[in-house]
Amino acid sequence: MAPSTEDSPAGIYFSELLEKDASKSTALAAIETLMSTLEKSKATTVNELTDELKKVVTAMQSTDYSSTSVKSASELFMRFISLASLDLQTFDECMKVLKERGTRFIARVAESRQKIARFAQPFIKNNSRILTHSYSKVVLEALGKVAASGTSFHVFVTESRPDFSGSRTKERLDSIGIPCTLILDSAVGYLMESIDFVFVGAEGVMETGGIINKIGTLGLAICAKAMNKPVYVMTESIKFVKEYPLNQQDIPEVFKYRASTLKENKNLADEHPLVDYTPPQYIKLLFTDLGILTPAAVGDELIKLYL
């Protein structure tokens, strides 16, 4: 997605990180932007620094990248760097500790996709037929690593309208030699009986264990459930969000629409939402850097992250 034209310097820096590295996730770019702010900050008190970081988060959310991913990653990063006691004699000592924690956090996040790929690998057998939706960098990396190990499988990819992001997935799979077929979104029901399982990514994992993801994920998951096909989600734990939606109307508007759309004060009834909410009952397992989780375990993990 293109960045908003009204970006602040922090928003521009955040957008440039994503434009320069197509493999970088929105969540990781958000953390790196906050870390850059931390390293350059001229704040003299913890309150000043906190206000500065909050303004950076607002700037990132004013771009047209995933607000869900920005929110989750930013909250967890700020929580992590201030987790232990900061009862130090000087603010300089405090800043040093915060920067050290920030560096450790980024290093941990950088290893997330490799861990997820390792957890997913035993589930993908030779001749597996996999259905995926839209464009997920973590799913692509996992599939690439499994294919590189010698396992042969076929991937079916939905077009994922209205932005045809599934076409990008097919291009990527073609480039690394994984057999794949691009299908119409409306062909999911026809194809579902012949596939083995569904792999999708997530823009955010809710406290319920459900996910916010590209529009169409819910319909795909309902169809899979009806035909007894498991739906597996691949996602980094930095996408865990302290939100508890019960239905589509509970999804915050900043998650559903681009920032530029909200700024234009359009009649949202005339706008297609970019994402939908897939409740936990349609998800079999989540492959995360914390391990393989059931949807019910997400709430417990969030409690641990925010203790």
Side-chain angles (χ1 to χ4, degrees):
M1 296 179 185
S4 167
T5 56
E6 299 179 19
D7 284 337
S8 69
I12 293 171
Y13 179 84
F14 166 69
S15 298
E16 287 178 345
L17 285 176
L18 290 164
E19 290 166 5
K20 290 176 182 177
D21 185 354
S23 67
K24 191 183 296 293
S25 70
T26 301
L28 180 56
I31 292 169
E32 290 180 354
T33 301
L34 288 170
M35 188 64 194
S36 174
T37 302
L38 188 61
E39 290 172 339
K40 298 174 182 177
S41 177
K42 303 298 182 184
T44 57
T45 67
V46 172
N47 286 339
E48 284 181 14
L49 177 63
T50 300
D51 289 342
E52 188 175 353
L53 292 174
K54 286 180 178 178
K55 289 177 181 176
V56 170
V57 174
T58 300
M60 291 189 289
Q61 289 183 312
S62 73
T63 70
D64 277 348
Y65 292 99
S66 171
S67 179
T68 316
S69 296
V70 170
K71 173 182 169 64
S72 59
S74 299
E75 287 182 351
L76 286 170
F77 175 80
M78 293 174 71
R79 178 63 180 163
F80 182 84
I81 65 173
S82 61
L83 187 60
S85 172
L86 288 172
D87 187 17
L88 302 169
Q89 291 186 346
T90 69
F91 183 70
D92 287 342
E93 290 177 322
C94 176
M95 284 293 286
K96 182 180 178 181
V97 171
L98 292 176
K99 291 174 184 177
E100 288 173 351
R101 291 177 184 171
T103 300
R104 290 203 307 273
F105 189 79
I106 289 176
R108 190 183 78 182
V109 170
E111 299 174 353
S112 295
R113 290 184 190 171
Q114 293 181 2
K115 292 180 179 178
I116 293 167
R118 288 199 299 270
F119 290 134
Q121 186 164 357
F123 288 76
I124 304 176
K125 310 295 184 182
N126 274 319
N127 302 316
S128 289
R129 291 165 62 87
I130 304 168
L131 176 61
T132 191
H133 180 59
S134 188
Y135 183 89
S136 167
K137 294 170 184 175
V138 66
V139 169
L140 282 169
E141 184 160 333
L143 292 176
K145 289 187 181 301
V146 173
S149 72
T151 303
S152 176
F153 52 89
H154 194 102
V155 180
F156 296 87
V157 187
T158 58
E159 282 185 326
S160 190
R161 297 192 180 206
D163 62 359
F164 294 94
S165 53
S167 298
R168 293 168 54 209
T169 298
K170 185 181 187 306
E171 289 173 5
R172 176 60 180 156
L173 291 171
D174 285 339
S175 72
I176 56 179
I178 296 178
C180 59
T181 303
L182 189 67
I183 68 168
L184 298 172
D185 291 342
S186 55
V188 164
Y190 173 85
L191 183 69
M192 189 64 72
E193 64 183 20
S194 69
I195 65 104
D196 295 304
F197 51 83
V198 175
F199 267 148
V200 294
E203 291 193 16
V205 180
M206 305 295 104
E207 196 170 353
T208 58
I211 63 169
I212 297 289
N213 197 44
K214 175 70 184 292
I215 191 76
T217 304
L218 171 61
L220 185 152
I222 291 173
C223 183
K225 181 79 169 180
M227 296 192 181
N228 295 313
K229 306 294 182 176
V231 174
Y232 300 128
V233 177
M234 293 186 181
T235 181
E236 304 95 326
S237 61
I238 54 171
K239 293 183 179 178
F240 286 15
V241 189
K242 290 190 73 175
E243 294 280 349
Y244 205 96
L246 298 177
N247 52 43
Q248 308 307 312
Q249 287 66 47
D250 285 346
I251 306 172
E253 289 185 350
V254 294
F255 290 0
K256 290 195 286 187
Y257 305 101
R258 291 187 177 92
S260 56
T261 299
L262 295 173
K263 288 175 185 175
E264 291 169 5
N265 294 315
K266 292 182 177 180
N267 180 2
L268 296 180
D270 296 331
E271 294 292 321
H272 267 298
L274 300 176
V275 301
D276 56 29
Y277 169 63
T278 302
Q281 62 264 34
Y282 298 111
I283 297 168
K284 181 72 171 179
L285 293 171
L286 297 100
F287 297 95
T288 80
D289 49 293
L290 301 177
I292 301 174
L293 306 177
T294 63
V298 171
D300 292 336
E301 292 298 330
L302 268 167
I303 290 172
K304 293 176 188 176
L305 290 169
Y306 280 91
L307 276 177

Coordinates of all heavy atoms in Angstrom, one line a residue, residues 162-238:
P162 N -10.0 -6.6 -3.7 CA -10.0 -5.8 -4.9 C -8.5 -5.5 -5.4 O -8.4 -4.9 -6.4 CB -10.7 -4.6 -4.5 CG -10.4 -4.4 -3.1 CD -10.4 -5.8 -2.5
D163 N -7.5 -5.8 -4.6 CA -6.1 -5.4 -5.0 C -5.3 -6.5 -5.7 O -4.2 -6.3 -6.0 CB -5.4 -4.8 -3.8 CG -5.2 -5.9 -2.7 OD1 -5.6 -7.0 -2.9 OD2 -4.5 -5.6 -1.7
F164 N -6.0 -7.6 -5.9 CA -5.3 -8.7 -6.5 C -4.0 -9.1 -5.9 O -3.0 -9.4 -6.6 CB -5.1 -8.4 -8.0 CG -6.4 -8.3 -8.8 CD1 -7.0 -7.1 -9.0 CD2 -7.0 -9.4 -9.3 CE1 -8.1 -6.9 -9.7 CE2 -8.2 -9.3 -10.0 CZ -8.8 -8.0 -10.2
S165 N -3.9 -9.1 -4.6 CA -2.7 -9.4 -3.9 C -2.3 -10.8 -4.0 O -1.1 -11.2 -3.9 CB -2.8 -9.0 -2.4 OG -3.9 -9.6 -1.8
G166 N -3.2 -11.7 -4.4 CA -2.9 -13.1 -4.6 C -2.0 -13.2 -5.8 O -1.2 -14.2 -5.9
S167 N -2.1 -12.3 -6.8 CA -1.2 -12.4 -8.0 C 0.3 -12.2 -7.6 O 1.2 -12.8 -8.1 CB -1.6 -11.3 -9.0 OG -2.9 -11.5 -9.4
R168 N 0.5 -11.3 -6.6 CA 1.8 -11.1 -6.0 C 2.4 -12.4 -5.4 O 3.5 -12.8 -5.5 CB 1.9 -10.0 -5.0 CG 1.6 -8.6 -5.6 CD 1.3 -7.6 -4.5 NE 2.4 -7.6 -3.6 CZ 2.3 -7.2 -2.3 NH1 1.1 -6.9 -1.8 NH2 3.4 -7.2 -1.5
T169 N 1.5 -13.1 -4.7 CA 1.9 -14.4 -4.1 C 2.3 -15.4 -5.2 O 3.3 -16.1 -5.0 CB 0.7 -14.9 -3.2 OG1 0.4 -14.0 -2.2 CG2 1.1 -16.3 -2.6
K170 N 1.5 -15.5 -6.2 CA 1.8 -16.4 -7.3 C 3.1 -16.1 -7.9 O 3.9 -17.0 -8.2 CB 0.7 -16.4 -8.3 CG 0.9 -17.5 -9.4 CD -0.1 -17.5 -10.5 CE 0.0 -18.7 -11.4 NZ 1.4 -18.8 -12.0
E171 N 3.4 -14.8 -8.2 CA 4.6 -14.4 -8.8 C 5.8 -14.8 -7.9 O 6.8 -15.3 -8.4 CB 4.6 -12.9 -9.0 CG 3.7 -12.4 -10.1 CD 3.6 -10.9 -10.1 OE1 4.4 -10.2 -9.3 OE2 2.8 -10.3 -10.9
R172 N 5.6 -14.6 -6.6 CA 6.7 -15.0 -5.7 C 6.9 -16.5 -5.6 O 8.0 -17.0 -5.7 CB 6.4 -14.5 -4.3 CG 7.3 -14.9 -3.2 CD 8.7 -14.4 -3.5 NE 9.6 -14.8 -2.4 CZ 11.0 -14.9 -2.6 NH1 11.5 -14.6 -3.7 NH2 11.7 -15.2 -1.5
L173 N 5.8 -17.3 -5.6 CA 5.9 -18.7 -5.6 C 6.6 -19.2 -6.9 O 7.4 -20.2 -6.9 CB 4.6 -19.4 -5.4 CG 3.9 -19.2 -4.0 CD1 2.5 -19.7 -4.0 CD2 4.7 -19.9 -2.9
D174 N 6.2 -18.6 -8.0 CA 6.8 -19.0 -9.3 C 8.3 -18.8 -9.3 O 9.0 -19.6 -9.8 CB 6.1 -18.2 -10.5 CG 4.7 -18.7 -10.8 OD1 4.4 -19.8 -10.5 OD2 4.0 -17.9 -11.4
S175 N 8.7 -17.6 -8.7 CA 10.1 -17.3 -8.7 C 11.0 -18.2 -7.9 O 12.2 -18.3 -8.2 CB 10.3 -15.8 -8.2 OG 10.1 -15.8 -6.8
I176 N 10.4 -18.9 -6.9 CA 11.2 -19.8 -6.1 C 10.8 -21.3 -6.5 O 11.3 -22.2 -5.8 CB 11.0 -19.6 -4.6 CG1 9.5 -19.7 -4.2 CG2 11.5 -18.3 -4.2 CD1 9.3 -19.5 -2.7
G177 N 10.1 -21.5 -7.6 CA 9.9 -22.8 -8.1 C 8.9 -23.7 -7.4 O 8.9 -24.9 -7.5
I178 N 7.9 -23.1 -6.7 CA 6.9 -23.8 -6.1 C 5.7 -23.9 -7.0 O 5.1 -22.8 -7.4 CB 6.5 -23.2 -4.7 CG1 7.7 -23.2 -3.7 CG2 5.3 -23.9 -4.1 CD1 7.4 -22.6 -2.4
P179 N 5.2 -25.1 -7.4 CA 4.0 -25.2 -8.2 C 2.8 -24.5 -7.6 O 2.5 -24.7 -6.4 CB 3.8 -26.7 -8.4 CG 5.1 -27.3 -8.0 CD 5.7 -26.4 -7.0
C180 N 2.1 -23.7 -8.4 CA 1.0 -23.0 -7.8 C 0.0 -22.6 -8.9 O 0.3 -22.6 -10.1 CB 1.4 -21.7 -7.1 SG 2.3 -20.5 -8.2
T181 N -1.3 -22.4 -8.4 CA -2.4 -22.1 -9.3 C -3.1 -20.9 -8.7 O -3.5 -20.9 -7.6 CB -3.3 -23.2 -9.5 OG1 -2.6 -24.4 -10.0 CG2 -4.5 -22.9 -10.5
L182 N -3.4 -19.9 -9.6 CA -4.2 -18.7 -9.1 C -5.6 -19.0 -9.4 O -6.0 -19.4 -10.5 CB -3.7 -17.4 -9.9 CG -4.3 -16.1 -9.4 CD1 -3.8 -15.8 -8.0 CD2 -3.9 -15.0 -10.4
I183 N -6.5 -18.8 -8.4 CA -7.9 -19.1 -8.6 C -8.8 -17.9 -8.3 O -8.3 -17.0 -7.6 CB -8.3 -20.3 -7.7 CG1 -8.3 -19.9 -6.2 CG2 -7.5 -21.5 -7.9 CD1 -9.0 -20.9 -5.3
L184 N -10.0 -17.9 -8.8 CA -10.9 -16.9 -8.5 C -11.3 -17.0 -7.0 O -11.4 -18.1 -6.5 CB -12.2 -17.0 -9.3 CG -12.1 -16.9 -10.9 CD1 -13.4 -17.3 -11.5 CD2 -11.7 -15.5 -11.3
D185 N -11.6 -15.8 -6.4 CA -12.1 -15.8 -5.0 C -13.3 -16.7 -4.9 O -13.6 -17.4 -3.9 CB -12.4 -14.4 -4.5 CG -11.1 -13.6 -4.4 OD1 -10.0 -14.2 -4.3 OD2 -11.2 -12.4 -4.3
S186 N -14.2 -16.6 -5.9 CA -15.5 -17.3 -5.9 C -15.3 -18.8 -6.2 O -16.3 -19.6 -6.1 CB -16.4 -16.7 -7.0 OG -15.8 -16.7 -8.2
A187 N -14.1 -19.3 -6.5 CA -13.8 -20.7 -6.7 C -13.4 -21.4 -5.4 O -13.2 -22.7 -5.5 CB -12.8 -20.9 -7.8
V188 N -13.4 -20.8 -4.3 CA -12.9 -21.4 -3.1 C -13.8 -22.6 -2.7 O -13.3 -23.7 -2.4 CB -12.9 -20.4 -1.9 CG1 -12.9 -21.1 -0.6 CG2 -11.7 -19.4 -2.1
G189 N -15.1 -22.4 -2.8 CA -16.0 -23.5 -2.5 C -15.8 -24.7 -3.4 O -15.9 -25.9 -2.9
Y190 N -15.6 -24.5 -4.6 CA -15.4 -25.6 -5.6 C -14.1 -26.3 -5.3 O -14.1 -27.6 -5.4 CB -15.4 -25.0 -7.0 CG -15.0 -26.0 -8.1 CD1 -15.9 -26.8 -8.7 CD2 -13.6 -26.1 -8.5 CE1 -15.6 -27.7 -9.7 CE2 -13.3 -27.1 -9.5 CZ -14.3 -27.8 -10.0 OH -13.9 -28.8 -11.0
L191 N -13.1 -25.6 -5.0 CA -11.8 -26.2 -4.8 C -11.6 -26.9 -3.4 O -10.8 -27.8 -3.3 CB -10.7 -25.1 -4.9 CG -9.2 -25.6 -4.8 CD1 -8.9 -26.5 -6.1 CD2 -8.3 -24.4 -4.7
M192 N -12.3 -26.4 -2.4 CA -12.0 -26.7 -1.0 C -12.0 -28.3 -0.8 O -11.2 -28.8 0.0 CB -13.1 -26.1 -0.1 CG -12.7 -26.2 1.4 SD -11.2 -25.4 1.9 CE -11.7 -23.7 1.8
E193 N -12.9 -29.0 -1.4 CA -13.0 -30.4 -1.2 C -11.7 -31.2 -1.6 O -11.5 -32.3 -1.1 CB -14.2 -31.0 -1.8 CG -14.2 -30.9 -3.4 CD -15.5 -31.5 -4.0 OE1 -16.5 -31.5 -3.3 OE2 -15.4 -31.8 -5.2
S194 N -10.9 -30.6 -2.5 CA -9.8 -31.2 -3.0 C -8.4 -30.8 -2.3 O -7.4 -31.4 -2.7 CB -9.6 -31.0 -4.5 OG -9.3 -29.6 -4.8
I195 N -8.5 -29.9 -1.4 CA -7.3 -29.4 -0.8 C -7.1 -30.1 0.6 O -8.0 -30.7 1.1 CB -7.2 -27.9 -0.6 CG1 -8.2 -27.4 0.3 CG2 -7.3 -27.2 -2.0 CD1 -7.7 -27.0 1.6
D196 N -5.9 -30.1 1.1 CA -5.6 -30.7 2.4 C -5.8 -29.8 3.6 O -6.3 -30.2 4.6 CB -4.2 -31.3 2.4 CG -4.0 -32.4 1.4 OD1 -4.8 -33.4 1.4 OD2 -3.1 -32.3 0.5
F197 N -5.4 -28.6 3.4 CA -5.5 -27.6 4.5 C -5.3 -26.2 3.9 O -4.8 -26.0 2.8 CB -4.5 -27.9 5.6 CG -3.1 -28.0 5.2 CD1 -2.3 -27.0 5.0 CD2 -2.6 -29.3 5.0 CE1 -1.0 -27.1 4.6 CE2 -1.3 -29.5 4.7 CZ -0.4 -28.4 4.5
V198 N -5.6 -25.2 4.8 CA -5.5 -23.8 4.4 C -4.4 -23.2 5.3 O -4.3 -23.4 6.5 CB -6.8 -23.0 4.7 CG1 -6.7 -21.5 4.4 CG2 -7.9 -23.6 3.8
F199 N -3.5 -22.4 4.7 CA -2.6 -21.6 5.4 C -2.8 -20.1 5.1 O -2.9 -19.7 3.9 CB -1.1 -21.9 4.9 CG -0.4 -22.9 5.6 CD1 0.5 -23.7 5.0 CD2 -0.6 -23.1 7.0 CE1 1.2 -24.7 5.7 CE2 0.1 -24.0 7.7 CZ 1.0 -24.9 7.1
V200 N -3.0 -19.3 6.1 CA -3.1 -17.8 5.9 C -2.2 -17.1 6.9 O -1.9 -17.7 8.0 CB -4.6 -17.4 6.1 CG1 -5.5 -17.9 5.0 CG2 -5.1 -17.7 7.5
G201 N -1.9 -15.9 6.6 CA -1.2 -15.0 7.6 C -2.3 -14.2 8.4 O -3.5 -14.6 8.4
A202 N -1.8 -13.2 9.0 CA -2.7 -12.4 9.8 C -2.1 -11.0 10.0 O -0.9 -10.8 10.2 CB -3.0 -13.0 11.2
E203 N -3.0 -10.0 9.9 CA -2.6 -8.6 10.2 C -2.6 -8.4 11.7 O -1.8 -7.6 12.2 CB -3.5 -7.6 9.5 CG -3.3 -7.6 8.0 CD -4.0 -6.4 7.4 OE1 -4.3 -5.4 8.1 OE2 -4.2 -6.4 6.2
G204 N -3.4 -9.1 12.4 CA -3.5 -9.1 13.8 C -4.2 -10.3 14.4 O -5.1 -10.8 13.8
V205 N -3.7 -10.7 15.6 CA -4.3 -11.8 16.3 C -5.0 -11.3 17.5 O -4.3 -10.7 18.4 CB -3.3 -12.9 16.7 CG1 -4.0 -14.1 17.4 CG2 -2.5 -13.5 15.5
M206 N -6.3 -11.4 17.6 CA -7.1 -10.8 18.7 C -7.0 -11.6 20.0 O -6.6 -12.8 20.0 CB -8.5 -10.7 18.3 CG -8.7 -9.9 17.0 SD -8.2 -8.2 17.0 CE -6.7 -8.2 16.1
E207 N -7.4 -11.0 21.1 CA -7.3 -11.7 22.4 C -8.3 -12.9 22.4 O -8.1 -13.8 23.2 CB -7.8 -10.7 23.4 CG -7.4 -11.1 24.9 CD -7.6 -10.0 25.9 OE1 -7.9 -8.8 25.4 OE2 -7.5 -10.2 27.1
T208 N -9.3 -12.9 21.5 CA -10.2 -14.0 21.4 C -9.5 -15.3 20.8 O -10.1 -16.4 20.9 CB -11.4 -13.7 20.5 OG1 -10.8 -13.3 19.2 CG2 -12.1 -12.5 21.0
G209 N -8.4 -15.1 20.1 CA -7.8 -16.2 19.3 C -8.2 -16.1 17.9 O -7.7 -16.9 17.1
G210 N -9.1 -15.2 17.5 CA -9.5 -15.0 16.1 C -8.5 -14.0 15.5 O -7.6 -13.5 16.2
I211 N -8.6 -13.8 14.2 CA -7.6 -13.0 13.5 C -8.3 -11.9 12.7 O -9.4 -12.1 12.2 CB -6.7 -13.8 12.6 CG1 -7.5 -14.5 11.4 CG2 -5.9 -14.8 13.4 CD1 -6.7 -15.1 10.3
I212 N -7.6 -10.8 12.5 CA -7.9 -9.8 11.5 C -7.0 -10.0 10.3 O -5.8 -10.1 10.5 CB -7.7 -8.4 12.1 CG1 -8.6 -8.1 13.3 CG2 -7.9 -7.3 11.0 CD1 -10.0 -7.9 13.0
N213 N -7.6 -10.2 9.2 CA -6.8 -10.5 8.0 C -7.6 -9.9 6.7 O -8.7 -9.5 6.8 CB -6.5 -12.0 7.8 CG -5.4 -12.2 6.9 OD1 -4.3 -11.6 6.9 ND2 -5.5 -13.2 6.0
K214 N -6.9 -10.0 5.6 CA -7.5 -9.5 4.3 C -8.9 -10.0 4.1 O -9.3 -11.1 4.4 CB -6.6 -10.0 3.2 CG -7.1 -9.6 1.8 CD -7.0 -8.2 1.5 CE -7.6 -7.8 0.2 NZ -6.8 -8.4 -0.9
I215 N -9.7 -9.1 3.6 CA -11.1 -9.4 3.4 C -11.3 -10.6 2.6 O -10.5 -10.8 1.6 CB -11.8 -8.2 2.7 CG1 -13.3 -8.3 2.6 CG2 -11.3 -7.9 1.3 CD1 -14.0 -8.0 4.0
G216 N -12.2 -11.5 3.0 CA -12.3 -12.8 2.3 C -11.8 -14.0 3.1 O -12.2 -15.1 2.9
T217 N -11.0 -13.7 4.1 CA -10.5 -14.7 5.0 C -11.6 -15.4 5.7 O -11.6 -16.7 5.9 CB -9.4 -14.2 6.0 OG1 -8.4 -13.5 5.3 CG2 -8.8 -15.3 6.8
L218 N -12.6 -14.7 6.2 CA -13.7 -15.2 7.0 C -14.5 -16.2 6.1 O -14.8 -17.3 6.5 CB -14.6 -14.1 7.5 CG -15.9 -14.6 8.1 CD1 -15.7 -15.5 9.3 CD2 -16.8 -13.4 8.5
G219 N -14.8 -15.8 4.9 CA -15.6 -16.7 4.0 C -14.8 -18.0 3.7 O -15.4 -19.1 3.7
L220 N -13.5 -17.9 3.4 CA -12.7 -19.0 3.2 C -12.7 -20.0 4.4 O -12.8 -21.2 4.2 CB -11.3 -18.5 2.8 CG -10.2 -19.6 2.4 CD1 -9.2 -18.9 1.5 CD2 -9.5 -20.2 3.6
A221 N -12.6 -19.4 5.6 CA -12.5 -20.2 6.8 C -13.8 -20.9 7.1 O -13.8 -22.1 7.5 CB -12.1 -19.3 8.0
I222 N -14.9 -20.2 6.8 CA -16.2 -20.8 7.0 C -16.4 -22.0 6.1 O -16.9 -23.1 6.5 CB -17.4 -19.8 6.8 CG1 -17.4 -18.8 7.9 CG2 -18.7 -20.5 6.7 CD1 -18.3 -17.6 7.7
C223 N -16.0 -21.8 4.8 CA -16.1 -22.9 3.8 C -15.2 -24.1 4.3 O -15.6 -25.3 4.2 CB -15.6 -22.4 2.5 SG -15.8 -23.6 1.1
A224 N -14.0 -23.8 4.7 CA -13.1 -24.9 5.2 C -13.7 -25.7 6.3 O -13.6 -26.9 6.4 CB -11.7 -24.3 5.6
K225 N -14.3 -24.9 7.3 CA -14.9 -25.6 8.4 C -16.0 -26.5 8.0 O -16.2 -27.6 8.5 CB -15.5 -24.5 9.4 CG -16.1 -25.0 10.6 CD -15.1 -25.4 11.7 CE -15.8 -25.7 13.0 NZ -14.8 -26.1 14.1
A226 N -16.8 -26.0 7.0 CA -18.0 -26.8 6.6 C -17.5 -28.1 5.9 O -18.2 -29.1 5.9 CB -18.8 -26.0 5.6
M227 N -16.3 -28.1 5.3 CA -15.8 -29.3 4.6 C -14.7 -30.0 5.4 O -13.9 -30.8 4.8 CB -15.3 -28.9 3.2 CG -16.4 -28.3 2.3 SD -15.8 -28.2 0.6 CE -17.3 -27.5 -0.2
N228 N -14.6 -29.7 6.7 CA -13.7 -30.4 7.6 C -12.2 -30.2 7.1 O -11.4 -31.2 7.2 CB -14.0 -31.8 7.7 CG -15.4 -32.0 8.4 OD1 -15.6 -31.4 9.5 ND2 -16.2 -32.9 7.9
K229 N -11.8 -29.1 6.6 CA -10.5 -28.8 6.3 C -9.8 -27.9 7.3 O -10.4 -26.8 7.6 CB -10.4 -28.2 4.9 CG -11.1 -29.0 3.8 CD -10.4 -30.3 3.5 CE -11.1 -31.0 2.4 NZ -10.4 -32.3 2.0
P230 N -8.7 -28.2 7.9 CA -8.1 -27.3 8.9 C -7.6 -26.0 8.3 O -7.0 -26.0 7.2 CB -7.0 -28.2 9.5 CG -6.6 -29.1 8.4 CD -7.9 -29.4 7.6
V231 N -7.8 -25.0 9.1 CA -7.2 -23.6 8.8 C -6.1 -23.3 9.8 O -6.3 -23.3 11.0 CB -8.3 -22.5 8.9 CG1 -7.7 -21.1 8.7 CG2 -9.4 -22.8 7.9
Y232 N -4.9 -23.2 9.2 CA -3.7 -22.8 10.0 C -3.3 -21.4 9.8 O -3.3 -21.0 8.6 CB -2.6 -23.8 9.7 CG -2.9 -25.2 9.9 CD1 -2.6 -26.2 8.9 CD2 -3.3 -25.7 11.1 CE1 -2.9 -27.5 9.1 CE2 -3.6 -27.1 11.3 CZ -3.3 -28.0 10.3 OH -3.6 -29.3 10.5
V233 N -3.0 -20.7 10.8 CA -2.6 -19.3 10.7 C -1.1 -19.2 11.1 O -0.6 -19.8 12.1 CB -3.4 -18.4 11.7 CG1 -2.9 -17.0 11.6 CG2 -4.8 -18.5 11.4
M234 N -0.3 -18.5 10.2 CA 1.1 -18.3 10.5 C 1.2 -16.8 10.8 O 0.9 -15.9 10.0 CB 1.9 -18.6 9.3 CG 2.0 -20.0 8.9 SD 3.2 -20.3 7.5 CE 3.0 -22.1 7.3
T235 N 1.8 -16.5 12.0 CA 1.9 -15.1 12.4 C 2.9 -15.0 13.5 O 3.1 -15.8 14.4 CB 0.5 -14.6 12.9 OG1 0.6 -13.2 13.3 CG2 0.0 -15.4 14.1
E236 N 3.6 -13.8 13.5 CA 4.5 -13.5 14.6 C 3.8 -13.0 15.8 O 2.7 -12.4 15.7 CB 5.5 -12.3 14.1 CG 6.2 -12.6 12.8 CD 5.6 -12.1 11.6 OE1 4.3 -12.1 11.6 OE2 6.3 -11.7 10.7
S237 N 4.3 -13.3 17.0 CA 3.6 -12.9 18.2 C 3.5 -11.3 18.4 O 2.7 -10.9 19.2 CB 4.3 -13.5 19.4 OG 5.7 -13.0 19.5
I238 N 4.3 -10.6 17.6 CA 4.2 -9.1 17.7 C 2.9 -8.6 17.1 O 2.6 -7.4 17.2 CB 5.4 -8.4 17.1 CG1 5.6 -8.9 15.6 CG2 6.7 -8.6 17.9 CD1 6.6 -8.1 14.9

